[in-house]
């Protein structure tokens, strides 16, 4: 407060005391504003956050995108794998059992295409991928395979890797010539390739062989030759040493005569005994099939009854005009005939002739044999002479115990 001097004294200035409050000071405060003391101490504002560099923000965004992509990719791959495995193991579309031929040297894609064409599978690319995933592509075997209805792709793969392909039975009858056997093999469609050379007569073992479709004819013949060789060696080791044959080749020739003379299994050792007894006595074997082979060779059949001219034909096979065994086998004998030649019955029989029932009548003497021949002639006149056999009146009786210059009706005949 300023006090002016009075006339009685000098003017002085003193500080004014602080007002006790705003009201006392007469200060006017803006409306709505609280006193500073009422709001407490004022908090200083936070400093502004530092700004990230632009390059760091771009890297974070890129990594986030990559992570998202990989996550989606993993989910897609996992889903595809699950679908593929489920489909690979699921029943397939095949409605009924079928067979598929897998040729040699086919790749996985070719095999898959063949299975798809046959209706075994409906996803060839998936099958191919599954086979490669299981590392089975190098273990698929060629051959003909049977696939059951609704077989899965996994099961189809296991069938192809098992090697259990379909095997077909091929039966070669006993008594055929090598040429006849080759002709039969040529008529079998499941075999492949041609035969370059006819095997030697007697070198093939007639049996039932199991082969896969696509097997070559040469392979079948090789198996037959090996089987005949093994059988002949085995039978030769177990032979009766008293049988008058000098080698396995002679045994094979004798067995071929037995094979051609009878188709009755029970008669083989008995027919063998007749031939062996005649060899021991120096009698000609006089077997009609040797005449036929000497005339037609590997063709095997003459197609008519034998005439006297045929019987007198001078060939190295005709046992009506030569002594002992013919020059070689006249057919391919089976194991039973080989065994019969090696171990014939023990008997004194020297003759046999067809009895009209498919078997033979045997005899030890010429008189008994001639009676059997008379009965045979009656049967043959009633129905005609058999093909590749001598007619009943074409042969004269052979002197008993000797070797006749002319053919005799004592010849062993069916």
């Amino acid at each position: 407060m300023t006090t002016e001097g009075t006339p009685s004294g000098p003017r002085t200035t003193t500080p004014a005391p602080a007002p006790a409050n705003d009201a006392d000071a007469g200060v006017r405060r803006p409306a709505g504003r609280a006193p500073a003391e009422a709001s407490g101490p004022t908090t200083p504002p936070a400093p502004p956050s530092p700004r990230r560099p632009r390059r760091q923000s771009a890297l974070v965004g890129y990594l986030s995108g990559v992570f998202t992509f990989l996550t989606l990719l993993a989910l897609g791959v996992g889903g595809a794998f699950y679908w593929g495995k489920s489909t690979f193991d699921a029943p397939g579309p095949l409605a009924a059992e079928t067979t598929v031929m897998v040729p040699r040297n086919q790749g996985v894609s070719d095999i898959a295409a063949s299975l798809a064409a046959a209706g075994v599978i409906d996803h060839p690319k998936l099958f191919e991928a599954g086979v490669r995933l299981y590392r089975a592509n190098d273990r698929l075997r060629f051959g003909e395979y049977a696939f059951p209805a609704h077989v899965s792709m996994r099961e189809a793969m296991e069938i192809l890797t098992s090697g259990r392909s379909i095997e077909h039975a091929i039966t070669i009858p006993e008594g055929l010539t090598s040429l006849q056997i080759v002709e039969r093999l040529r008529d079998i469609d499941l075999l492949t390739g041609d035969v370059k050379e006819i095997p030697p007569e007697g070198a093939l073992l007639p049996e039932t062989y199991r082969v896969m479709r696509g097997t070559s004819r040469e392979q079948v013949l090789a198996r037959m030759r090996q089987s005949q060789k093994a059988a002949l060696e085995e039978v030769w080791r177990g032979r009766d040493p008293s049988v008058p044959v000098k080698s396995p080749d002679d045994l094979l020739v004798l067995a071929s005569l037995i094979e051609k003379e009878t188709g009755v299994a029970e008669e083989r050792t008995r027919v063998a005994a007749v031939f062996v007894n005649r060899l021991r006595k120096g009698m000609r074997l006089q077997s009609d099939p040797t005449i036929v082979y000497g005339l037609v060779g590997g063709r095997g059949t003459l197609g008519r009854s034998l005439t006297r001219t045929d019987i007198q034909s001078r060939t190295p096979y005709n046992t009506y005009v030569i002594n002992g065994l013919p020059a070689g086998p006249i057919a391919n004998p089976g194991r039973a005939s080989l065994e019969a030649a090696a171990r014939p019955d023990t008997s004194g029989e020297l003759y046999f002739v067809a009895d009209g029932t498919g078997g033979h009548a045997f005899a030890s003497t010429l008189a008994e044999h001639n009676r059997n021949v008379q009965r045979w002639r009656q049967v043959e006149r009633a129905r005609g002479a058999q093909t590749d056999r001598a007619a009943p009146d074409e042969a004269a009786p052979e002197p008993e115990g000797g070797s006749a210059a002319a053919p005799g009706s004592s010849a062993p005949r069916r």
Side-chain angles (χ1 to χ4, degrees):
M1 159 175 206
T2 299
T3 305
E4 292 183 356
T6 63
S8 62
R11 183 190 306 179
T12 59
T13 302
T14 59
N21 51 46
D22 290 343
D24 296 334
V27 179
R28 308 182 83 180
R29 188 174 54 239
R33 189 166 179 181
E37 293 80 4
S39 59
T42 303
T43 303
S49 60
R51 302 182 68 180
R52 295 181 181 177
R54 184 174 298 175
R55 182 177 300 176
Q56 183 178 359
S57 299
L59 179 61
V60 171
Y62 173 76
L63 293 177
S64 177
V66 169
F67 178 76
T68 303
F69 171 76
L70 292 178
T71 301
L72 294 175
L73 180 62
L75 291 174
V77 171
F81 181 81
Y82 177 79
W83 173 85
K85 186 177 185 305
S86 300
T87 305
F88 196 75
D89 293 339
L94 189 61
E97 180 177 342
T98 190
T99 61
V100 177
M101 179 64 195
V102 177
R104 191 186 297 268
N105 298 326
Q106 268 203 341
V108 181
S109 58
D110 294 329
I111 294 174
S114 298
L115 295 179
V120 177
I121 62 176
D122 50 6
H123 296 288
K125 291 298 182 183
L126 178 60
F127 176 81
E128 182 179 353
V131 169
R132 295 187 186 280
L133 184 63
Y134 282 101
R135 298 181 180 179
N137 47 303
D138 293 332
R139 295 186 288 115
L140 302 181
R141 309 284 187 85
F142 76 94
E144 185 181 18
Y145 293 91
F147 295 93
H150 304 296
V151 61
S152 69
M153 283 186 275
R154 179 194 289 274
E155 292 168 337
M157 177 187 70
E158 292 171 350
I159 289 173
L160 292 174
T161 57
S162 70
R164 296 190 298 270
S165 60
I166 298 173
E167 291 186 333
H168 300 267
I170 296 178
T171 300
I172 304 299
E174 296 89 346
L176 296 180
T177 66
S178 293
L179 176 59
Q180 289 174 320
I181 290 176
V182 169
E183 289 174 345
R184 288 208 174 205
L185 294 180
R186 284 171 174 160
D187 291 337
I188 300 176
D189 293 336
L190 62 89
L191 301 178
T192 61
D194 200 2
V195 178
K196 299 178 181 178
E197 184 178 355
I198 304 299
E201 202 69 77
L204 307 176
L205 183 66
E207 271 189 346
T208 296
Y209 295 88
R210 304 195 70 83
V211 300
M212 297 184 299
R213 184 180 296 276
T215 302
S216 73
R217 293 175 175 86
E218 291 283 4
Q219 286 178 308
V220 176
L221 289 174
R223 284 179 60 187
M224 296 182 70
R225 293 186 72 162
Q226 182 60 37
S227 297
Q228 184 70 303
K229 180 181 178 181
L232 183 58
E233 290 176 353
E234 179 184 349
V235 170
W236 176 256
R237 289 194 299 268
R239 75 188 186 283
D240 180 350
S242 68
V243 176
V245 290
K246 300 178 181 180
S247 67
D249 289 340
D250 287 347
L251 182 68
L252 182 63
V253 174
L254 178 58
S256 71
L257 269 63
I258 298 168
E259 194 68 77
K260 294 297 291 184
E261 282 292 355
T262 182
V264 180
E266 296 77 11
E267 287 188 350
R268 287 192 177 101
T269 54
R270 200 171 180 184
V271 169
V274 171
F275 283 138
V276 167
N277 291 339
R278 290 172 77 89
L279 287 171
R280 286 172 176 159
K281 288 179 174 292
M283 299 172 67
R284 289 177 179 168
L285 299 183
Q286 294 188 318
S287 171
D288 289 359
T290 63
I291 303 173
V292 176
Y293 193 87
L295 295 173
V296 302
R299 295 200 308 274
T301 178
L302 193 60
R304 58 173 173 79
S305 60
L306 295 172
T307 65
R308 184 173 293 275
T309 300
D310 297 330
I311 295 172
Q312 295 174 343
S313 61
R314 304 197 69 82
T315 73
Y317 291 90
N318 186 356
T319 54
Y320 275 78
V321 299
I322 64 170
N323 297 322
L325 294 169
I330 62 173
N332 290 277
R335 180 182 290 272
S337 291
L338 289 171
E339 292 173 348
R343 304 192 71 84
D345 281 350
T346 301
S347 73
E349 295 172 339
L350 295 170
Y351 311 92
F352 62 86
V353 68
D355 61 6
T357 66
H360 294 82
F362 293 82
S364 299
T365 65
L366 181 60
E368 182 183 2
H369 173 63
N370 284 337
R371 288 193 295 270
N372 293 335
V373 169
Q374 291 301 319
R375 287 191 291 269
W376 171 73
R377 284 175 175 172
Q378 293 174 1
V379 173
E380 290 298 294
R381 288 194 183 100
R383 65 185 185 187
Q386 298 179 29
T387 299
D388 295 338
R389 294 289 171 174
D393 297 324
E394 290 293 343
E398 175 186 16
E400 186 168 2
S403 178
S409 62
S410 57
R413 296 187 183 91
R414 287 185 187 174

